[in-house]
């Protein structure tokens, strides 16, 4: 089917429940908007909002969207299908005043056949009602509105159903790929139709690789699966180092004329996992270096621009990740496209809740009725993505339901686990099925007190395994019978024990704490049963406010999340503006991706004080050696290094060589007195220098500097340019203590869509042109408006020289 984007020229209004037939009257003042759109990110946060810390104290919304759609007369007799990639909230869709669909899952895409409800050669009115006022409805920031793309599919009388052209690698033998292609063909007329479906496979550079045809006869108003075996030789594998993609085009020919066509990209690859050899891609073993992420795009809220999704994958890839777990729902197609294109493994998760909820108004209210529809639509939509290696049927489902191992009732989590896993396998047998198991309370602390490396301890474990009560073990054994891979959330301490208790179990650390990275990764690489480690989280996110906070007051950490004005979780390797935090550089060292040492400083203001951490927190070290007014106070200089030794110099004076590497968990700490100047660390291995790092004290900020992520972007509507704004001193060095209020302005063929910082406590709106620098930085996001040319972003602040940057749109 022809696919047309409908993101432009919508209107919206925030309004309670009304009769949609009255919405066309002149009494309502509609605002113009282009999609994607998140209305919540535009609204003021308030500590009294019932969304609470989970959703970052954001407001709820009740919205109407309206679009006039003119359909050409030439499309009369065609089939028209609307596709909504995602509407956050309970959605109702009306076409010309008639209710045509309802949808209850904000993360799943859905299709609506509107053929019988439209007029041709005339305008049609599409109205979408979005209800998301009942709070809390999520455990993290969700947003509200039509936050992903909208498409119109136009097909012939006999057409290929959207999302239903699939390619599967059946076997690879003697450098030959045996493929099966399946297309669901729909006949919309009241008579049998005879025709031919032609399959053409193209290489990455659009070269025709093979062509094959299959005759078909389809009954009136029938949907029919047409399958064809294809053989491709030679072929190229898709892998994370060389993510090679093919294109397949399917064309329906009736009476010697083209009736319909569709295409999709796919990759050829094999995946396996077992407890002896671990995870293999194309027959080669590797460990999953993973991170969990939520769906929001930081300062953009939940609005899903293609470039925002692609940039997330670029940031993850640049930081050494090769896998991502989508927490805890399906993501936008653009994100998966980027994973395919750039080479990133994906665990795609269907649900955070099943029939029992985690907050008052989450998806558990609709799960019983719609789980199957949402699961099936996700697999059908995403079937061809080679990046997806696992389907996760749920995250920490045990919340609020208990884990009675003898419970086999219809509402038992074990019954539901079997039901969901079997459904997934009925739709897709080519991927692994997993679920993330919750870290439920246990009665086996004494058991893990003795878990260490060594044969003696292993023998003791075998002897004690049957006599120590192990509720989590019993629960996991029953729950995981239907899983290919068992997801462990915060259960690294079980890895050694479970290797012997459950020798055939394939384990994945689906959530682990960032601060225990060294142990997490060591246990992962030394245990063949464990295929990977996924930190919570790889990229920071909105909501679950203050999950990763640190305080000098114990009372500040009594609650799970932080009190207002906390907004960010504050636990990501990468902050919401895309900057690496200290824990990310430590990960570079542990994973062996960085040869040079890396210096961070525990500031004088917190040195020597007792610090209280949430489990997801990182110690409050800074990438700075500038602490005005703290001369003579003590500081702790931390050096992350994969080396035998490191030597630290302060203003050219050596503080001595110290052991580094595995024995110190890649962290070496020097306590010293703060004196402005230069600190330098040199790393040694086998007595030879292998790298060095340097920090120096900066001066006062005197100017702004602007650095775009790209100097040339597409003129197509919605491409984004991310522009870093920094305060610098006279030598051009970043001044991290600068907190000036900046103002930005965009001229030309661009539009400012967000101005943000990574300040987790800020109450400043992301949609403003004005914002305070945080740690000397801010981020402006500018959108292409669909015209060729150039735009200029100018930034200024009181007391600082202003700056401007030009970006081309071609």
């Amino acid at each position: 089917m022809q696919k047309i984007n409908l993101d432009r020229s919508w209107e919206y209004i925030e309004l309670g429940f009304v009769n949609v037939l009255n919405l066309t009257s002149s009494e309502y003042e509609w605002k113009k908007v282009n999609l994607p759109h998140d209305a919540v990110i535009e609204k003021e946060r308030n500590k009294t909002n019932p969304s609470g810390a989970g959703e970052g104290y954001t407001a709820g919304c009740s919205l109407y969207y309206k679009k006039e759609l003119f359909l050409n007369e030439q499309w009369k007799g065609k089939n028209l299908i609307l596709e909504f990639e995602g509407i956050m909230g309970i959605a109702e869709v009306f076409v010309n005043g008639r209710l045509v669909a309802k949808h209850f899952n904000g993360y799943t895409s859905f299709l609506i056949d509107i053929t019988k409800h439209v007029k041709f050669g005339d305008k049609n009115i599409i109205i979408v009602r979005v209800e998301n006022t009942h709070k809390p409805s999520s455990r993290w920031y969700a947003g509200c509105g039509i936050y992903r793309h909208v498409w119109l599919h136009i097909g012939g009388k006999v057409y290929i159903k959207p999302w239903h052209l699939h390619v599967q690698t059946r076997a690879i033998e003697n450098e030959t790929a045996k493929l099966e292609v399946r297309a669901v063909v729909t006949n919309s007329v009241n008579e049998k139709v005879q025709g031919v479906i032609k399959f053409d496979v193209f290489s990455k550079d659009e070269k025709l690789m093979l062509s094959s045809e299959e005759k078909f006869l389809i009954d009136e108003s029938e949907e029919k699966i047409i399958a064809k075996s294809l053989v491709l030789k030679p072929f190229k594998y898709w892998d994370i180092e060389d993510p090679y993609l093919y294109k397949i085009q399917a064309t329906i020919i009736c009476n010697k004329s083209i009736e319909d066509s569709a295409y999709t990209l796919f990759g050829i690859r094999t995946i396996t996992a077992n407890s002896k050899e671990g995870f293999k891609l194309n027959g080669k073993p590797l460990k999953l270096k993973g991170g969990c992420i939520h769906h929001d795009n930081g300062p953009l809220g939940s609005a899903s621009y293609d470039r925002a999704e692609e940039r997330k994958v670029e940031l993850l890839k640049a930081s050494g990740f090769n896998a991502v777990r989508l927490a805890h729902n399906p993501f936008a197609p653009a994100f998966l496209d980027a994973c395919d294109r750039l080479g990133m493994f994906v665990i795609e998760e269907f649900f955070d809740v099943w029939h029992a909820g985690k907050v008052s108004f989450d998806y558990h209210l609709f799960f019983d009725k719609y789980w199957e529809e949402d699961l099936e639509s996700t697999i059908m939509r995403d079937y061809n993505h080679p990046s997806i290696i696992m389907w996760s049927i749920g995250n920490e489902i045990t919340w609020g339901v208990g884990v009675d191992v003898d419970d086999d009732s219809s509402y038992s989590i074990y019954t539901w686990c079997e039901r969901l896993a079997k459904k997934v396998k009925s739709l897709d047998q080519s991927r692994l099925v997993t679920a993330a198991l919750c870290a439920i309370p246990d009665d086996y602390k004494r058991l893990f007190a003795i878990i260490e490396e060594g044969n003696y301890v292993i023998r003791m474990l075998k002897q004690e395994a049957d006599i120590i009560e192990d509720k989590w073990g019993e629960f996991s054994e029953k729950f995981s019978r239907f899983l290919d891979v068992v997801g462990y959330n915060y259960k690294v301490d079980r890895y050694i024990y479970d290797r012997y208790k459950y020798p055939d179990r394939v384990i994945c650390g689906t959530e682990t704490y960032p601060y225990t990275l060294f142990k997490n990764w060591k246990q992962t690489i030394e245990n063949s049963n464990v295929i990977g480690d996924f930190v919570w989280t790889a990229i920071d996110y909105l909501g679950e406010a203050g999950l990763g906070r640190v305080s000098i007051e114990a009372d500040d950490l009594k609650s799970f999340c932080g009190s207002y004005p906390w907004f960010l979780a504050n636990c990501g390797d990468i902050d919401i503006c895309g900057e690496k935090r200290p824990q990310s550089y430590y990960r570079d060292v542990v994973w062996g991706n960085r040869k040079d040492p890396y210096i961070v400083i525990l500031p004088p203001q917190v040195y020597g004080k007792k610090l209280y951490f949430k489990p997801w927190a990182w110690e409050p070290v800074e990438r700075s050696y500038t602490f005005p007014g703290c001369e003579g106070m003590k500081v702790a200089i931390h050096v992350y290094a994969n080396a035998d030794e490191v030597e630290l110099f302060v203003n050219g004076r050596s503080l001595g060589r110290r052991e580094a590497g595995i024995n110190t968990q890649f962290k070496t700490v020097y306590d010293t007195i703060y004196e402005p100047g230069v600190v330098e660390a040199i790393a040694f291995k086998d007595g030879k220098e292998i790298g060095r790092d340097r920090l120096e004290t900066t001066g006062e900020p005197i100017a702004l500097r602007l650095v775009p992520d790209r100097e040339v972007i597409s003129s197509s509507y919605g491409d984004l340019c991310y522009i870093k704004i920094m305060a610098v001193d006279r030598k051009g060095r970043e001044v991290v203590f600068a907190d000036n209020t900046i103002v930005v302005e965009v001229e030309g063929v661009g539009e400012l869509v967000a101005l943000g910082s990574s300040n987790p406590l800020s109450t400043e709106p992301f949609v403003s042109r004005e914002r305070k620098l945080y740690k000397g930085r801010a981020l402006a996001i500018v959108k292409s408006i669909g015209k060729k040319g150039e735009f200029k972003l100018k930034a200024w602040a009181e007391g600082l020289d202003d700056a401007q940057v030009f970006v081309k749109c071609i």
Side-chain angles (χ1 to χ4, degrees), residues 665-681:
Q665 299 189 9
F666 303 115
K667 292 181 182 179
T668 303
V669 181
Y670 291 82
D671 295 303
T672 188
I673 301 298
Y674 173 61
E675 54 181 85
V678 177
V679 292
E680 188 169 27

Side-chain angles (χ1 to χ4, degrees), residues 63-98:
L63 305 169
Y64 286 88
Y65 289 87
K66 181 176 68 173
K67 181 176 178 62
E68 293 185 0
L69 179 64
F70 185 87
L71 298 176
N72 294 325
E73 283 279 2
Q74 67 189 54
W75 290 340
K76 199 168 186 177
K78 300 277 189 180
N79 285 276
L80 283 75
I81 295 176
L82 279 179
E83 176 184 353
F84 289 91
E85 288 188 0
I87 302 176
M88 188 53 66
I90 299 171
E92 297 174 296
V93 181
F94 300 82
V95 176
N96 295 327
R98 180 177 296 179

Side-chain angles (χ1 to χ4, degrees), residues 178-195:
K178 296 181 179 180
L179 311 174
E180 182 182 75
V181 57
R182 297 183 301 277
V184 175
V185 176
T186 301
N187 179 13
S188 66
V189 297
N190 295 322
E191 61 182 17
K192 290 185 179 180
V193 174
Q194 190 173 14

Side-chain angles (χ1 to χ4, degrees), residues 4-298:
I4 299 172
N5 183 270
L6 299 184
D7 287 350
R8 306 291 294 274
S9 303
W10 289 73
E11 296 175 287
Y12 81 103
I13 187 171
E14 187 169 354
L15 196 64
F17 190 89
V18 297
N19 188 327
V20 296
L21 297 176
N22 298 331
L23 286 173
T24 55
S25 69
S26 58
E27 67 176 287
Y28 295 108
E29 296 183 6
W30 294 81
K31 298 178 183 178
K32 293 184 179 181
V33 68
N34 294 317
L35 306 180
H37 178 236
D38 174 13
V40 171
I41 207 67
E42 303 168 358
K43 299 171 73 67
E44 184 179 353
R45 297 191 301 123
N46 191 297
K47 63 182 177 182
T48 63
N49 281 333
S51 62
E55 296 181 66
Y57 304 97
T58 52
C61 281
S62 180
L63 305 169
Y64 286 88
Y65 289 87
K66 181 176 68 173
K67 181 176 178 62
E68 293 185 0
L69 179 64
F70 185 87
L71 298 176
N72 294 325
E73 283 279 2
Q74 67 189 54
W75 290 340
K76 199 168 186 177
K78 300 277 189 180
N79 285 276
L80 283 75
I81 295 176
L82 279 179
E83 176 184 353
F84 289 91
E85 288 188 0
I87 302 176
M88 188 53 66
I90 299 171
E92 297 174 296
V93 181
F94 300 82
V95 176
N96 295 327
R98 180 177 296 179
L99 178 64
V100 296
K102 295 183 180 182
H103 195 71
F104 300 91
N105 190 323
Y107 296 97
T108 56
S109 302
F110 60 103
L111 303 168
I112 309 170
D113 190 331
I114 61 171
T115 308
K116 297 179 181 179
H117 307 296
V118 296
K119 301 172 287 186
F120 295 90
D122 198 354
K123 70 178 181 181
N124 297 269
I125 305 297
I126 299 172
I127 290 178
V128 180
R129 180 171 183 265
V130 186
E131 178 61 55
N132 197 359
T133 52
H134 292 83
K135 295 294 178 181
S137 61
S138 176
R139 294 194 299 117
W140 54 87
Y141 179 87
C144 181
I146 308 178
Y147 72 110
R148 295 180 185 164
H149 296 310
V150 180
W151 304 91
L152 176 65
H153 298 263
I154 304 169
K157 296 176 180 178
V158 179
Y159 62 90
I160 299 167
K161 191 175 179 180
W163 307 344
H164 285 72
L165 175 61
H166 294 161
V167 182
Q168 182 179 344
T169 302
R170 286 294 188 185
I172 294 176
E173 300 172 358
N174 301 322
E175 300 182 354
T176 299
K178 296 181 179 180
L179 311 174
E180 182 182 75
V181 57
R182 297 183 301 277
V184 175
V185 176
T186 301
N187 179 13
S188 66
V189 297
N190 295 322
E191 61 182 17
K192 290 185 179 180
V193 174
Q194 190 173 14
V196 172
I197 185 167
K198 181 183 179 187
F199 298 109
D200 296 317
V201 176
F202 297 88
S203 66
K204 196 172 185 176
D205 57 2
E206 295 291 328
K207 178 183 177 182
L208 181 64
M209 302 296 293
L210 65 85
S211 185
S212 183
E213 295 183 355
E214 185 77 11
K215 294 180 180 179
F216 67 84
L217 177 64
I218 187 168
D219 287 337
E220 58 185 78
S221 304
E222 181 188 7
E223 259 189 17
K224 188 171 189 176
I225 298 175
I226 300 176
K228 183 74 174 177
S229 295
L230 303 176
V231 176
L232 190 60
K233 182 180 181 179
F235 75 93
K236 292 194 68 172
Y237 280 109
W238 181 94
D239 64 41
I240 55 175
E241 301 303 326
D242 182 12
Y244 194 91
L245 294 172
Y246 291 93
K247 181 176 84 172
I248 186 165
Q249 174 119 10
T251 306
I252 293 177
I253 301 170
C254 299
N255 298 321
K256 297 184 179 180
S257 64
I258 295 175
E259 186 67 23
D260 195 49
S261 66
Y263 78 90
T264 185
L265 302 179
F266 70 97
I268 299 173
R269 55 107 179 96
T270 63
I271 54 172
T272 59
N274 62 59
S275 60
K276 301 297 185 292
E277 298 177 301
F279 177 83
K280 286 185 175 182
L281 173 68
N282 304 326
K284 299 177 181 178
L286 56 81
K287 295 287 187 179
L288 302 178
K289 297 178 176 179
C292 303
I293 61 171
H294 272 308
H295 77 297
D296 74 72
N297 284 304

Side-chain angles (χ1 to χ4, degrees), residues 597-638:
Y598 189 77
I599 301 171
V600 288
I601 315 289
L602 186 67
Q605 296 90 332
V606 294
Y607 179 90
K609 295 181 179 179
K610 184 172 178 58
L611 298 174
Y612 297 90
F613 290 69
K614 294 301 286 185
W616 297 270
W618 194 262
E619 56 197 343
V621 291
E622 302 280 351
R623 177 65 173 175
S624 171
Y625 192 60
T626 305
F627 307 106
C630 296
E631 293 78 5
M633 297 174 65
K634 288 185 177 181
V635 294
I637 302 176
H638 295 226

Side-chain angles (χ1 to χ4, degrees), residues 632-738:
M633 297 174 65
K634 288 185 177 181
V635 294
I637 302 176
H638 295 226
V639 182
Y640 305 154
N642 185 351
D644 298 332
E645 294 178 306
V646 294
E647 185 172 7
L648 186 72
F649 296 84
V650 176
N651 292 326
R653 185 179 70 257
S654 175
L655 300 189
R657 288 196 188 188
R658 294 187 182 176
E659 185 179 13
I662 291 176
N663 291 338
T664 66
Q665 299 189 9
F666 303 115
K667 292 181 182 179
T668 303
V669 181
Y670 291 82
D671 295 303
T672 188
I673 301 298
Y674 173 61
E675 54 181 85
V678 177
V679 292
E680 188 169 27
I682 303 176
F684 299 90
K685 187 166 283 190
D686 297 327
K688 296 180 180 179
E689 180 182 331
I690 60 169
R692 59 176 64 200
D693 190 28
R694 186 176 187 272
L695 275 179
E696 60 182 306
T697 305
T698 61
E700 293 291 321
I702 66 155
L704 295 174
R705 178 190 294 162
L706 307 180
V707 181
D709 68 331
R710 297 178 299 162
E711 294 180 349
V712 178
I713 67 172
S714 171
S715 61
S716 298
Y717 170 79
D719 197 9
L720 301 177
C721 183
Y722 287 78
I723 301 172
K724 187 187 303 184
I725 304 170
M726 300 174 289
V728 296
D729 67 6
R730 292 187 182 279
K731 294 184 178 180
R733 300 169 299 189
E734 285 191 61
V735 182
V736 299
F737 63 83

